[in-house]
Amino acid sequence: MVKYSREPENPVKSAKARASDLRTSFKNMRETAMAIKGMELTSARTYLNKVLEKKDVIPLRRFGGSAGRSNLCKIHNHYGPGRYPEKSVKHLLDILTNAESNAEVKSLDTENLYVTHIQVNQAQKGRRRTYRAHGRINAYMSNPCHVEVVLSEKEDNVKKPEEEAGKIVRKSKKQLAQARLKNGSSA
């Protein structure tokens, strides 16, 4: 069994999935993962499919140095660069499908799942080489990544019971003095 960086608060109502050494850019995958963090599973899946169709954009909040500004980022409250990282989106859709099937095995309600935890880590770099002028050779590295996702069911909110009428309310000396002043009685 592999160790996750964070265990869910309620393991009975959660499903996990992970992937290691994905041949996609770490930076793009991180931005894509942060875009769906906290979303419901169904809305995350539709959002990622829209990105594949180039009808929505992934806002680049941290790693967007050379990317141009995208007008579609306004939807996500971000007025900066945005892109359509297809490879990262496809990998993330596969991981979400895997997590959903894990949830079905645990007999969880898949319509009620949302992304509670998603984390992207850098994997070991892949080494290749490129040939330069004058017989030199330079490194040509790839930046793969590891991804882990935790889906949880939304818990029903339980209403707080109303206070009993016969409960004693304690007041400080200052509160008692203010009440006496309002009533007009002297000290």
Side-chain angles (χ1 to χ4, degrees), residues 24-56:
T24 179
S25 165
F26 160 73
K27 293 180 178 183
N28 283 344
M29 183 60 90
R30 186 261 174 203
E31 297 292 359
T32 310
M34 292 303 108
I36 66 162
K37 188 174 188 176
M39 279 189 183
E40 290 183 4
L41 180 63
T42 52
S43 60
R45 188 172 275 141
T46 54
Y47 169 58
L48 292 176
N49 284 324
K50 278 185 182 178
V51 171
L52 281 178
E53 296 166 4
K54 295 197 169 41
K55 292 199 165 60
D56 209 339

Side-chain angles (χ1 to χ4, degrees), residues 56-96:
D56 209 339
V57 72
I58 301 288
L60 305 178
R61 297 175 193 276
R62 182 176 293 175
F63 300 113
S66 63
R69 183 182 165 280
S70 174
N71 204 21
L72 287 172
C73 283
K74 287 185 201 172
I75 302 166
H76 306 287
N77 246 359
H78 180 69
Y79 298 92
R83 279 191 175 159
Y84 312 95
E86 288 185 24
K87 209 169 171 186
S88 299
V89 167
K90 286 177 183 173
H91 281 299
L92 211 50
L93 279 169
D94 290 342
I95 294 167
L96 288 176

Side-chain angles (χ1 to χ4, degrees), residues 6-14 114 116 150 152 155:
R6 182 172 162 191
E7 288 301 317
E9 292 175 15
N10 190 355
V12 177
K13 293 200 168 198
S14 301
Y114 70 106
T116 51
V150 176
S152 298
E155 295 185 16

